[in-house]
Amino acid sequence: KQEVTQIPAALSVPEGENLVLNCSFTDSAIYNLQWFRQDPGKGLTSLLLIQSSQREQTSGRLNASLDKSSGRSTLYIAASQPGDSATYLCAVRAEETSGSRLTFGEGTQLTVNP
Amino acid sequence: KAGVTQTPRYLIKTRGQQVTLSCSPISGHRSVSWYQQTPGQGLQFLFEYFSETQRNKGNFPGRFSGRQFSNSRSEMNVSTLELGDSALYLCASSPTHSTDTQYFGPGTRLTVL
């Protein structure tokens, strides 16, 4: 059974810092891994999707890497801003399941202080 | 393109009642998935529909059911509501393939009293 873990559970940093969020998964047989952002009480916003054949994806100040063999992914946020404050979730789509089912981690709650 | 829409946004029900939630996917998307989010359990997969057929189902009791219409809109129904069903219910859509990005709606906040 696929399990996804995110470390740390919470993170508080001053504005301008570069930071790394970690995600690990137990079964390396995945199709892809997706990073999401969730603001309080809101839905999920897709940030980056990494296919199993890819090593990394970049979007603006965000860079996500994937090491499928070791079951790890990192989300790097450069020059953090208060507007980056949110919960960040990673989710994997396992090969063992058909369809679009995602398995989520518990999330990292990020606070960027002005 | 308009995003994924969910109605209603908020619901308050009492134990024993039933509820129906609606999800309209992004135009052209044929896959719709439903998730339950609670503080204690996080995000858990309920089921997925593709071309009006249930393609995948999570580990939830039979009180939770769903369906998809020919226009890809989906509904989920929860019968005999329990206090523990209070949650944010999220719907996600994707085009077709397993490698596609999934896009989430704003969710329906269900409170069971």
Side-chain angles (χ1 to χ4, degrees):
Chain A
K1 178 189 169 188
Q2 179 73 265
E3 292 183 1
V4 180
T5 304
Q6 291 188 245
I7 295 173
L11 182 63
S12 181
V13 300
E15 182 176 4
E17 269 204 11
N18 302 324
L19 55 101
V20 174
L21 308 181
N22 297 291
C23 172
S24 62
F25 45 96
T26 54
D27 186 347
S28 62
I30 63 170
Y31 282 120
N32 53 50
L33 183 145
Q34 199 165 349
W35 282 93
F36 295 90
R37 166 190 173 135
Q38 186 174 32
D39 294 287
K42 303 289 181 63
L44 277 61
T45 300
S46 178
L47 297 173
L48 290 164
L49 171 72
I50 310 177
Q51 304 296 350
S52 63
S53 58
Q54 298 174 322
R55 297 285 293 184
E56 65 179 297
Q57 283 286 335
T58 298
S59 175
R61 294 182 294 108
L62 305 178
N63 175 276
S65 67
L66 174 63
D67 184 342
K68 184 181 167 183
S69 60
S70 68
R72 294 179 183 177
S73 176
T74 61
L75 178 66
Y76 175 83
I77 303 176
S80 58
Q81 304 170 357
D84 295 330
S85 297
T87 296
Y88 290 80
L89 295 145
C90 73
V92 299
R93 187 172 170 285
E95 288 182 3
E96 65 178 0
T97 60
S98 61
S100 302
R101 176 176 185 164
L102 296 176
T103 301
F104 282 86
E106 291 292 323
T108 294
Q109 186 173 359
L110 172 66
T111 302
V112 181
N113 302 299
Chain B
K1 279 187 180 178
V4 178
T5 58
Q6 292 186 243
T7 57
R9 294 293 313 279
Y10 303 92
L11 268 177
I12 300 176
K13 293 286 187 179
T14 57
R15 279 179 296 175
Q17 287 187 310
Q18 75 167 22
V19 67
T20 299
L21 312 182
S22 180
C23 171
S24 292
I26 292 172
S27 178
H29 287 192
R30 294 168 62 189
S31 168
V32 174
S33 300
W34 289 88
Y35 293 83
Q36 180 196 65
Q37 186 176 32
T38 59
Q41 299 295 319
L43 271 153
Q44 293 187 292
F45 173 80
L46 281 156
F47 29 65
E48 180 198 1
Y49 287 87
F50 180 81
S51 294
E52 301 179 65
T53 301
Q54 188 180 86
R55 183 157 73 170
N56 219 333
K57 189 177 190 301
N59 189 26
F60 277 81
R63 300 184 297 106
F64 292 81
S65 63
R67 59 178 175 169
Q68 186 180 35
F69 302 95
S70 59
N71 62 358
S72 293
R73 189 178 70 86
S74 177
E75 290 181 347
M76 67 163 281
N77 185 78
V78 188
S79 62
T80 318
L81 285 166
E82 301 177 359
L83 295 179
D85 297 333
S86 295
L88 181 66
Y89 289 88
L90 292 162
C91 161
S93 80
S94 62
T96 302
H97 300 293
S98 58
T99 54
D100 293 328
T101 297
Q102 291 202 48
Y103 298 91
F104 281 76
T108 294
R109 170 72 65 183
L110 172 64
T111 302
V112 182
L113 303 175

